[in-house]
Amino acid sequence: MLIRKTPDIRYSEVTPKGLYLRRREFIHAAAAGAIGAAATLSPVGTARAQAQGGRAKLPNVRKSAFSTTEKINPYEDVTGYNNFYEFGTDKDDPMRNGQKFISRPWTIRVEGLVKTPGSYDIDTFVKPHALEERIYRLRCVEAWSMVIPWVGIPLADVIKRLEPLPGAQFVEFTTLLDPKQMFGQRIPVLDWPYIEGLRMDEAMHPLAILAVGLYGEVLPNQNGAPIRLVVPWKYGFKGIKSIVRIRFTDKQPRNSWEVANPREYGFYANVNPTVDHPRWSQASERRLGEFLRRKTLMFNGYGDQVAGLYSAMDLRRAF
Amino acid sequence: MKVFTLLRRTIFAALLVPAAALVYWTLTGEAGPNPIDFITDTTGTTALSCLVLSLTVTPLRRLSGRNELIKLRRMLGLYAFFYACLHVLTWSVLDWFFDWESMAADIVKRPFITLGMTTFLLLLPLAITSTEGWIRRLGRRWTRLHRLVYVAAITATIHFWWVVKVDFRQPRLWALALSVLLGFRAWWTLQARVPRSSAGSA
């Protein structure tokens, strides 16, 4: 007699292989969906989902004429290889150690020579502005580069809204100081918290943005969630991450890398192939994913737009 | 098999692991988005590790009284040279792809590269004269020549120190290890001298 045994699992119940392989993403997406649905009243429900560890799409992102048409680096490069010393000094430390970082709720303090000082919730802070995709080259001072599709808001629009007083000549940004979450801050490799600054005309330049996302999604922790600076004609270290304070001042801020080593890092940090870092050449760079080095371009290729900011300056001295 | 032979073979096999792992990681994409940088770092630190390990042999032999340990010294030294070769090859082929002009400029203008190249050139004659034949031919001069390894270990450590931007924890550890190992030798040299002079005055 032939005994037919019904299989314990019907085929319809088997998870499709593709989905199975992406099960983590699937779980995250499901979680994000659930949280998103619960938070539909809030326009930034998707952003909240990100705080739970998921990857959430940003809605209504406009394209921008400032974007490059160059080949974009894969998501894995952008989110798996970067410097964010708050999470460790190796290139994959931010990805490893940033996973549990809590980037919501988040408050940004606006201080100094400005008409509207105060504490702003991140979502209230970003909401008045339309999100734009800006595909920019990023050139690290360590002579590697990437092309990254940021999502952000023009810094100039934010500054106009905040209404700086006439005496404000510089903008200073500060990263969160929280050694409990940011393990790297327990080691005094830099004078924490991280500080960066821009001259007011640099900050008002249309290329400068505050990024809140990349690849059309909410900014991952390791890339500086929830909000970071992107100044594409300057070396990457100017792009301060996880900003908690914006201060308008009449004095040139002392940025962390300049404090750490004034001989090697300056305030301006414009990408400049003719001014070498004291320890290595800046004439060429390796675009991640390419084998041969390529020549580094003045102002990282944004010279047409930004050279005018520095026309009266000796860039060898103001490096 | 004698325990020592087993130890020697184990160390030999273990020191092949970094090279094998590099090949494997590069092929599988686990070397990360910037594999050239990763290979440069890994071959460099492995070369330094082997060099410093080779300097532990003499102190260990003196402390333990086990003379057969000396047989490990050449192997460790040659491994240091092997990884140094990979390191220099990575730099010249993968990083610069035979751009001689840029490489020459770097050697002259960048102190950390000058020191790296110095280290390599110091190791080169030591590797060449590591054979039985050369040991016999050079006699006492061989011992004197191979003291260059101390200089190479120092230049290698400074080379590493100068590559680092602000996180000096690793190079500091290497410098400490090296100081201890060279300190042993300095102490023993002094010890060897003192009794002789005091005996003379007695």
Side-chain angles (χ1 to χ4, degrees):
Chain A
M1 189 180 134
L2 192 69
I3 302 172
R4 271 200 144 171
K5 205 176 164 220
T6 321
D8 294 335
I9 307 168
R10 272 175 300 157
Y11 190 74
S12 60
E13 288 173 21
V14 174
T15 311
K17 190 184 176 200
L19 199 54
Y20 170 76
L21 292 174
R22 291 186 295 119
R23 57 198 183 280
R24 268 170 207 281
E25 279 173 49
F26 177 74
I27 291 164
H28 287 152
I35 294 156
T40 36
L41 291 178
S42 151
V44 285
T46 44
R48 292 246 163 75
Q50 168 67 13
Q52 311 296 318
R55 281 175 60 176
K57 270 255 173 288
L58 286 165
N60 308 321
V61 179
R62 294 197 302 209
K63 302 262 177 236
S64 162
F66 290 118
S67 289
T68 171
T69 52
E70 285 164 89
K71 190 169 161 272
I72 298 170
N73 278 85
Y75 185 84
E76 291 70 33
D77 289 9
V78 177
T79 57
Y81 187 91
N82 69 332
N83 285 320
F84 194 176
Y85 278 16
E86 281 79 348
F87 290 117
T89 53
D90 281 339
K91 294 287 182 295
D92 55 353
D93 281 345
M95 176 190 59
R96 289 172 196 280
N97 301 331
Q99 292 306 321
K100 289 183 182 157
F101 181 66
I102 296 167
S103 56
R104 310 266 164 173
W106 190 271
T107 308
I108 299 169
R109 278 209 323 277
V110 174
E111 293 179 2
L113 304 171
V114 63
K115 274 192 195 161
T116 56
S119 292
Y120 296 81
D121 171 68
I122 175 74
D123 298 321
T124 330
F125 190 81
V126 173
K127 205 180 155 191
H129 308 279
L131 296 179
E132 285 181 39
E133 181 180 65
R134 300 280 184 103
I135 306 171
Y136 283 159
R137 292 176 288 274
L138 177 133
R139 168 62 156 81
C140 178
V141 73
E142 297 164 353
W144 51 267
S145 63
M146 295 192 204
V147 177
I148 304 176
W150 301 108
V151 176
I153 52 179
L155 178 58
D157 294 354
V158 175
I159 292 176
K160 275 182 222 150
R161 197 189 89 226
L162 296 174
E163 296 182 88
L165 298 171
Q169 292 171 42
F170 297 91
V171 194
E172 182 191 87
F173 303 87
T174 309
T175 297
L176 175 71
L177 178 68
D178 186 359
K180 271 197 192 127
Q181 288 200 81
M182 296 175 142
F183 312 120
Q185 290 177 337
R186 295 175 197 172
I187 303 143
V189 287
L190 290 171
D191 187 10
W192 310 113
Y194 198 89
I195 286 174
E196 259 307 340
L198 294 172
R199 214 169 57 192
M200 191 58 90
D201 58 342
E202 297 179 314
M204 293 299 289
H205 194 279
L207 282 173
I209 58 165
L210 288 173
V212 295
L214 49 82
Y215 266 91
E217 297 172 355
V218 171
L219 196 63
N221 291 339
Q222 62 266 38
N223 295 92
I227 190 163
R228 64 165 294 164
L229 182 65
V230 176
V231 201
W233 70 94
K234 291 173 180 286
Y235 292 120
F237 70 84
K238 291 296 286 186
I240 183 169
K241 305 180 182 80
S242 305
I243 298 167
V244 291
R245 191 174 67 164
I246 300 176
R247 197 165 70 90
F248 293 88
T249 162
D250 54 357
K251 286 183 204 72
Q252 180 172 307
R254 294 208 66 206
N255 48 322
S256 294
W257 278 99
E258 190 190 11
V259 170
N261 196 339
R263 211 174 66 85
E264 302 192 349
Y265 309 96
F267 172 76
Y268 286 96
N270 291 315
V271 175
N272 187 341
T274 64
V275 176
D276 286 342
H277 181 279
R279 281 186 281 161
W280 54 80
S281 164
Q282 294 292 29
S284 66
E285 68 200 48
R286 172 163 291 105
R287 177 71 51 86
L288 294 195
E290 292 180 356
F291 176 63
L292 292 177
R293 283 171 182 251
R294 48 163 77 208
K295 287 212 176 317
T296 290
L297 303 173
M298 188 67 202
F299 297 115
N300 201 21
Y302 297 98
D304 287 349
Q305 292 103 308
V306 301
L309 293 172
Y310 311 101
S311 50
M313 289 173 67
D314 176 4
L315 293 175
R316 298 203 137 263
R317 294 189 59 219
F319 57 86
Chain B
M1 195 165 27
K2 274 169 64 190
V3 175
F4 180 73
T5 316
L6 186 69
L7 174 74
R8 195 162 59 162
R9 287 183 187 170
T10 309
I11 295 176
F12 181 85
L15 288 177
L16 276 177
V17 170
L22 272 181
V23 173
Y24 179 76
W25 285 330
T26 306
L27 293 177
T28 56
E30 281 164 88
N34 194 349
I36 297 175
D37 212 42
F38 180 74
I39 298 169
T40 308
D41 284 359
T42 312
T43 50
T45 43
T46 312
L48 180 60
S49 314
C50 294
L51 195 55
V52 171
L53 270 179
S54 77
L55 292 177
T56 62
V57 172
T58 300
L60 281 178
R61 183 169 68 129
R62 284 194 65 153
L63 294 172
S64 69
R66 291 186 172 272
N67 281 327
E68 69 262 39
L69 285 177
I70 194 72
K71 290 177 189 162
L72 297 175
R73 198 170 63 177
R74 173 163 58 191
M75 182 176 80
L76 291 167
L78 284 174
Y79 258 121
F81 180 68
F82 169 64
Y83 281 103
C85 285
L86 292 182
H87 189 56
V88 172
L89 276 173
T90 308
W91 176 71
S92 54
V93 182
L94 299 183
D95 196 3
W96 283 109
F97 198 61
F98 309 109
D99 179 353
W100 302 110
E101 213 177 300
S102 299
M103 278 153 57
D106 261 5
I107 294 174
V108 178
K109 278 163 77 179
R110 319 283 163 208
F112 86 89
I113 296 182
T114 316
L115 266 194
M117 206 34 96
T118 308
T119 309
F120 181 69
L121 293 178
L122 285 169
L123 292 177
L124 187 63
L126 305 190
I128 293 171
T129 60
S130 65
T131 60
E132 300 293 341
W134 274 106
I135 295 172
R136 231 177 306 117
R137 238 169 295 163
L138 288 173
R140 292 184 67 180
R141 281 174 300 165
W142 187 91
T143 316
R144 234 180 293 153
L145 174 69
H146 277 251
R147 285 200 186 119
L148 277 180
V149 74
Y150 304 139
V151 185
I154 292 170
T155 53
T157 306
I158 302 174
H159 165 67
F160 189 19
W161 197 289
W162 283 352
V163 176
V164 168
K165 292 203 299 179
V166 285
D167 186 359
F168 295 105
R169 283 173 297 166
Q170 268 205 58
R172 218 183 277 141
L173 275 181
W174 287 113
L176 182 70
L178 188 61
S179 316
V180 170
L181 292 170
L182 295 183
F184 265 125
R185 289 164 169 87
W187 172 250
W188 283 325
T189 312
L190 277 173
Q191 289 278 298
R193 274 184 201 156
V194 172
R196 219 182 299 148
S197 55
S198 57
S201 64

